[in-house]
Amino acid sequence: MSPLLEVRDLHVRYEARGGTIRAVDGVGFSLARGEVLGVVGESGCGKSTLGRAILRLVEPAAGTIVFDGEDITRLDRRGMVARRRDMQVVFQDPFGALNPRHRVGEIVGEPLVVHRVGDRASRAARVAELLELVGLPPDAARRHPHEFSGGQRQRIAIARALALEPRLLVADEPVSALDVSIQSQVINLLSDLRARLGLSMVFISHDLSVVRHVSDRIAVMYLGRIVEIGAAAEVFDAPAHPYARALLSAVPHVDPSRRRDRILLQGEMPDPAHPPGGCAFRTRCPAAEPRCAASAPALAARRIAGAPPREAACHLLEAA
Ligand code: SF4
């Protein structure tokens, strides 16, 4: 079956005071129907910009996004508004995303009104169904967002995102603003909804332990590029790229008998307006060699000791 989403050589650029920032610099991946891809990396790596670009909430400078067989980068504004029925987003800040003056019923039902779905009675019934789906009481519809906790507000945002029965949900740091105790409830809710509704998800987070719980595959990003992508269990068990290894060394292994040695990254993330030539990670890479400055390694299938080949971008990893 063809993938639900195919992103090919996507570029997003911003003009900043220091120069042009290549926030997304040639990213490509596909997402199968019903699959969850976790996108991880430090703040500033371009993961949130990638999420927004997939939905065309920011305009790509180049590249192609194919959703369900259609090149959506060619759609005009009206065409894209219609397409967004199938592609929804949940952001980090549940309060900022909800209009405080509106009742929850209006907030959750608004996409139905915008897309002229049903009449008043059927929309009210759908709102009640959605509130139940995300575990909120029916009387929530009559209340305002400030009457709810952070976790409940994120449930309201999720109910709204699901109103039009999208096939793709981009979840951008959906639990980062929540207390740890509430995070797992929202993660479990998203996993449950994915299983029940067959949703595909791009799940963006800086928190690897959160991503591990929901993802089938993981993409690790550094300075606008994917440096490693593969099955979540394989990447978590044996990360191949030096950056992925360093990131994952801070996360406890699922098997407590297999402790990881902590790898501390040298220095800060480089200025994104002036990334290093060659491999962009070379200024912080504990394994860097002279050839790393000469050319940028391609993201390609590489041999991994004791594991199936996996896509990674590092000169030290042999091509598969
Ligand atoms: Fe490190 Fe060189 Fe591999 Fe880049 S190409 S990750 S600098 S070893």
Side-chain angles (χ1 to χ4, degrees), residues 5 8 16 32-33 40 48 67 69-70 83 85 100 137 144 167 186 206-207 211 236 241-242 262 281 301:
L5 177 73
R8 299 180 196 139
R33 290 159 203 272
V40 298
S48 288
F67 181 83
E70 181 180 32
R83 235 337 176 182
R85 280 188 71 144
H144 290 88
R167 282 179 290 162
V186 175
H206 69 284
D207 186 338
V211 169
F236 271 100
H241 190 281
R262 185 80 196 264
F281 184 54

Side-chain angles (χ1 to χ4, degrees), residues 233-247:
E234 289 168 11
V235 174
F236 271 100
D237 204 38
H241 190 281
Y243 178 62
R245 286 212 296 270
L247 267 193

Side-chain angles (χ1 to χ4, degrees), residues 4-8 10 50-60 63-88 167-168 170:
L4 180 67
L5 177 73
E6 269 187 280
V7 175
R8 299 180 196 139
L10 194 70
L50 173 64
R52 284 171 166 77
I54 290 169
L55 303 171
R56 285 191 56 201
L57 297 173
V58 297
E59 280 305 313
T64 310
I65 302 162
V66 178
F67 181 83
D68 200 19
E70 181 180 32
D71 178 357
I72 63 164
T73 40
R74 292 173 185 273
L75 291 177
D76 61 12
R77 208 188 67 81
R78 185 187 264 192
M80 199 56 222
V81 167
R83 235 337 176 182
R84 282 218 187 92
R85 280 188 71 144
D86 292 328
M87 312 168 80
Q88 292 289 317
R167 282 179 290 162
L168 173 68
V170 174

Side-chain angles (χ1 to χ4, degrees), residues 241-243 279-283 285-289 292 295 297 313-316:
H241 190 281
Y243 178 62
C279 175
F281 184 54
R282 71 182 166 83
T283 50
C285 180
E289 296 181 351
C292 304
S295 64
C314 175
H315 288 313
L316 299 195

Side-chain angles (χ1 to χ4, degrees), residues 154-200:
Q154 196 56 296
R155 286 171 186 264
I156 295 166
I158 293 168
R160 177 189 161 93
L162 297 179
L164 294 164
E165 300 182 357
R167 282 179 290 162
L168 173 68
L169 189 66
V170 174
D172 185 3
E173 301 275 11
V175 297
S176 303
L178 306 177
D179 290 344
V180 174
S181 57
I182 309 296
Q183 284 188 353
S184 54
Q185 292 176 19
V186 175
I187 293 289
N188 289 343
L189 169 67
L190 284 170
S191 298
D192 179 46
L193 291 173
R194 176 253 180 129
R196 285 159 69 182
L197 308 176
L199 270 178
S200 301

